[in-house]
Amino acid sequence: MRYADYRTVLQEAEARGLRRRLRAADDTAHWPHVTLDGQPVVDLCSNDYLGLAQDPRLAQAAAQAAQTFGTGGRASRLVGGSDVATRVLEEALAHFTGTEAALVFASGYQANLAILQALLAPGDWAFCDRLNHASLNDGVRLSGARCKRYAHLDLEHLDRLLRAAPHTARKWVISDTVFSMEGDYPDLNRLCAIARHHGACVMLDEAHANGLFGEARHSGLAEAQGVTSAVDLQMGTFSKALGGFGAFAAGSRELMAVLVQRARGFLYTTALPPSVIAAAYEALGLVQSDPTPLARLRATQAWFIPALQQTLAQAGLSCPSSHTPIVPIICPGRAQALSQALYRAGYHVGAIRPPTVPAGTERLRLCLSAAHTHADLRGFLEALAQALTHLPTGAVL
Ligand SMILES: *Cc1c(COP(=O)(O)O)cnc(C)c1O
C-alpha cells in the first residue's frame, strides 16, 4: 500500500495517546460562545485577547475594501507593486513600533521563517530562548546558522553562551517577548544590554504582546520596557490581539530593504488581500485610540487571576500571577482529563502536551479575552472546582 509507512505515524501517535485531531468549531458568530464537536462551550483558548476579531469596525473596513478593490492580492509585491493601503499601513507600523520602517508579511509563521532565512547564514550564531516559538526555531534551522539555546529567561546563561562564541562571528539574540505557553517574558533591558556587550543584534517576536503592552501606543513589550532603540528587529502579528491576519517586521530602513532583497517568504508569495490590509490598519488605529477593550481585559485579569489561584490552591495546584492574558496551569498527568471534564461542562480549555511543551510540564492553557463576560469566567471557575474534586491531587491518568 502506497501510504503504509505513513500509517505508522498515526499508529505511533495513537499508541502514545498524542494523536492530534481537528474538531468542528461551529456557531462562531457569538464568540467566545461557540459549538465544538456539537457541544456548546465558552472558548478559553484563542488569542483574540481584545475581542477585535469580531469588532464591527474591523469587519466594516474589511468589507468595504473587498467591495472596492476585490478579494485577491493578485501578485507578489515585488512583481505587482504595493498599493496605497499597504504603503500607508507600513508607515503606520513604523510609527506604532517606534522604528524607521516596517514590512508586512503573509503570516507570523511565514515572517519568522523569511526574516531569519534572510538575515542569518551558515557561519552566523543564533542565541535563542529554549522556549521560543516553533516558527523562530524553524527559521534559524532554515538559515543554516549555528543555534545555541539558553534556559528559559536565563540571561546569565545567554551571557555565558555569547561569551563562548567567536568574537568575530555575526550574532543574533532571538526571543519571544510574551511566551505563548508560559505567559511570562524576559527582562528586555538586560537582554539588550547583554547582546550589545557582545556585539549581537536583537530580534523580538511580539506576537502575544502587540496591542497589549506599552502605555502610549500599546505596541508591545519593547515599548513597555523602553528598549525600542536597542532592538534591531521587532516582529509582530495581526492575528492575535489585533483581531485580523498577517504579520510584520519593523526596524531600520536598511534592514527592511535587505528583507526585500532576500526574504524568500516575502518575495515568493502573493500580497495580502485588500480586506486583510484594511482590517489590520483599522485595528492598529483602534488599539492606539480606543482604550476600552484593553481596560476590560485588565479588569478581568484583576479579579479573575486571584479567584483562579484560590480555586487551584484547594486542589494543591497553582498558576502564576500573570500580567499577560496567557495563564498556564501546570498539571502533569491530569491536563487531558481536566480539559475533557471542562469540555463536558461547557468550557473549552486546551490541554497542551508534548511535543508542544516539554514532557512533565503538561498544562491547561487559559487565554483571557476582553470578550469574556464575568458570567463566563465565574462559570468556568465553578466547573474547574468541580472537575478538580473529581480528579484529586496526584491522580495519574
Ligand atoms: C502565533 C505566533 C506566531 C505565528 O503567527 P501567525 O500570524 O499566527 O502565523 C509567531 N510567533 C509567536 C510567538 C506566536 O505566538
Side-chain angles (χ1 to χ4, degrees), residues 107-109 112 133 135 176 180 205 207-208 235 237 239-240 246-247:
S107 77
Y109 182 85
N112 280 339
H133 191 261
S135 54
D176 289 23
S180 53
D205 178 338
H208 292 281
M235 175 272 173
T237 69
S239 54
K240 287 166 180 153

Side-chain angles (χ1 to χ4, degrees), residues 91-180:
E91 269 168 41
L93 280 166
H95 176 262
F96 183 60
T97 53
T99 57
E100 282 178 8
L103 192 67
V104 167
F105 284 80
S107 77
Y109 182 85
Q110 196 166 328
N112 280 339
L113 259 62
I115 292 164
L116 291 163
Q117 165 266 323
L119 299 182
L120 278 75
D124 294 345
W125 289 57
F127 299 85
C128 303
D129 189 293
R130 188 166 287 288
L131 298 187
N132 273 357
H133 191 261
S135 54
L136 292 171
N137 296 335
D138 292 357
V140 170
R141 200 173 309 132
L142 190 62
S143 76
R146 283 201 57 176
C147 184
K148 291 283 170 190
R149 298 171 90 190
Y150 55 93
H152 181 50
L153 302 184
D154 185 346
L155 300 181
E156 307 223 327
H157 191 195
L158 167 64
D159 190 43
R160 285 199 302 279
L161 291 176
L162 276 163
R163 196 171 305 144
H167 194 63
T168 52
R170 185 164 62 189
K171 309 178 192 76
W172 277 83
V173 174
I174 300 159
S175 181
D176 289 23
T177 56
V178 173
F179 280 82
S180 53

Side-chain angles (χ1 to χ4, degrees), residues 187-226:
D187 176 344
L188 294 178
N189 273 291
R190 250 190 94 215
L191 184 146
C192 290
I194 290 169
R196 189 176 322 119
H197 181 74
H198 294 285
C201 297
V202 175
M203 171 178 175
L204 298 179
D205 178 338
E206 297 260 37
H208 292 281
N210 298 130
L212 301 176
F213 291 92
E215 284 313 308
R217 305 179 306 272
H218 311 302
S219 66
L221 269 177
E223 179 195 339
Q225 297 192 14

